[in-house]
Amino acid sequence: MSAAARQLIDLYLPLCRDCPERFVVAHLGQSLDGRIAAADGSSRWVTGAEDVAHNHRMRALFDAVVVGAGTIDSDDPQLTVRLVPGANPTRVVLDPRRRLRADHGVFTDGAAPTLVLCGKQLCKGNRRLGQAEMIGIATEDGSLAPMAVLDLLAARGLRRVFVEGGGITVSRFLAAGCLHRLQITIAPLIMGSGRPSISLPEIGRLSDGLRPTVRKFDLGRDVLFECRFDG
């Protein structure tokens, strides 16, 4: 077996077996100085082609792919598996303030089932945004509670969830203790400014920081660190 084939097995097989029924993994691609996008939100491409293909493989392994409204607004991603074999996951967009327009690609291309989750008080009357189904759920301080999102998805049979970004969305799922894995791919790039990667509540001591078990993989010139939070 080639080294490349062995790495594929080592990276993805643990994500396919011996996992809890409800399984949540997040991913971010960042620069060496912890930036995921320029100040205007543009992020194509911080990491290289190998990490892009990795994202497509991850989508193929999960029931649903989740992103925040900012990711849709800035990048207009397709959130499909067009670069690899596999079925497209259900696309889930978190838009608590219902600020997105219906002309984004995920709402018009019909490539996969698409859900838009917004604040319950804003989801009245028309329950469609383009071709996407709009669902209202309770908010906490103006945001959608990660556990409430996961409960809703599980009730629809979407139990394997891939949280693809952006930094605010991934950080909220991490802070809420909802992630089994967090993958961070680091590119050999120094941006010096831009949008930060992980942002969590301030800690008083280093001992209060998270020290997960970590696996490391080379993705071309980038390095992927996979953090495990479920033992």
Side-chain angles (χ1 to χ4, degrees), residues 179-184 209-217 224-231:
L179 297 183
H180 296 91
R181 307 280 193 280
L182 170 61
Q183 298 177 342
I184 297 180
L210 300 174
R211 292 190 182 272
T213 302
V214 174
R215 300 194 300 157
K216 180 174 72 72
F217 300 91
L224 183 150
F225 290 89
E226 183 183 78
C227 308
R228 179 168 181 166
F229 297 101
D230 60 347

Side-chain angles (χ1 to χ4, degrees), residues 198-215:
I198 298 297
S199 297
L200 297 176
E202 183 176 334
I203 60 174
R205 300 170 298 176
L206 286 178
S207 59
D208 295 329
L210 300 174
R211 292 190 182 272
T213 302
V214 174
R215 300 194 300 157

Side-chain angles (χ1 to χ4, degrees), residues 34-90:
R35 311 288 180 171
I36 62 170
D40 65 358
S42 58
S43 61
R44 296 187 179 184
W45 299 99
V46 173
T47 54
E50 290 85 351
D51 189 51
V52 174
H54 167 70
N55 264 314
H56 285 234
R57 295 189 190 104
M58 291 295 293
R59 295 170 189 169
L61 293 176
F62 285 78
D63 301 324
V65 56
V66 174
V67 297
T71 296
I72 298 297
D73 199 32
S74 298
D75 292 343
D76 200 16
Q78 297 179 52
L79 303 177
T80 63
V81 299
R82 60 197 180 277
L83 296 184
V84 301
N88 290 327
T90 295

Side-chain angles (χ1 to χ4, degrees), residues 15-191:
L15 302 175
C16 300
R17 68 178 188 186
D18 302 327
C19 301
E21 182 180 8
R22 290 177 61 166
F23 186 52
V24 187
V25 178
H27 175 276
L28 288 173
Q30 69 174 51
S31 63
L32 286 169
D33 53 346
R35 311 288 180 171
I36 62 170
D40 65 358
S42 58
S43 61
R44 296 187 179 184
W45 299 99
V46 173
T47 54
E50 290 85 351
D51 189 51
V52 174
H54 167 70
N55 264 314
H56 285 234
R57 295 189 190 104
M58 291 295 293
R59 295 170 189 169
L61 293 176
F62 285 78
D63 301 324
V65 56
V66 174
V67 297
T71 296
I72 298 297
D73 199 32
S74 298
D75 292 343
D76 200 16
Q78 297 179 52
L79 303 177
T80 63
V81 299
R82 60 197 180 277
L83 296 184
V84 301
N88 290 327
T90 295
R91 303 178 295 195
V92 182
V93 179
L94 308 185
D95 186 13
R97 292 180 288 147
R98 196 174 174 176
R99 62 187 177 94
L100 293 173
R101 305 182 311 276
D103 57 356
H104 292 284
V106 292
F107 307 138
T108 61
D109 62 17
T114 305
L115 307 177
V116 180
L117 307 188
C118 65
K120 183 178 294 186
Q121 70 280 9
L122 299 176
C123 192
K124 299 177 182 178
N126 182 18
R127 294 299 184 94
R128 309 294 296 185
L129 186 64
Q131 297 183 40
E133 178 184 359
M134 185 171 292
I135 304 171
I137 63 175
T139 58
E140 295 179 355
D141 298 324
S143 300
L144 304 180
M147 189 56 70
V149 171
L150 296 175
D151 287 343
L152 183 147
L153 297 180
R156 289 175 166 244
L158 306 173
R159 296 178 175 85
R160 290 176 54 86
V161 177
F162 179 47
V163 184
E164 193 170 320
I168 293 174
T169 299
V170 171
S171 296
R172 285 176 177 155
F173 274 78
L174 178 59
C178 291
L179 297 183
H180 296 91
R181 307 280 193 280
L182 170 61
Q183 298 177 342
I184 297 180
T185 301
I186 301 176
L189 167 69
I190 298 174
M191 296 173 63

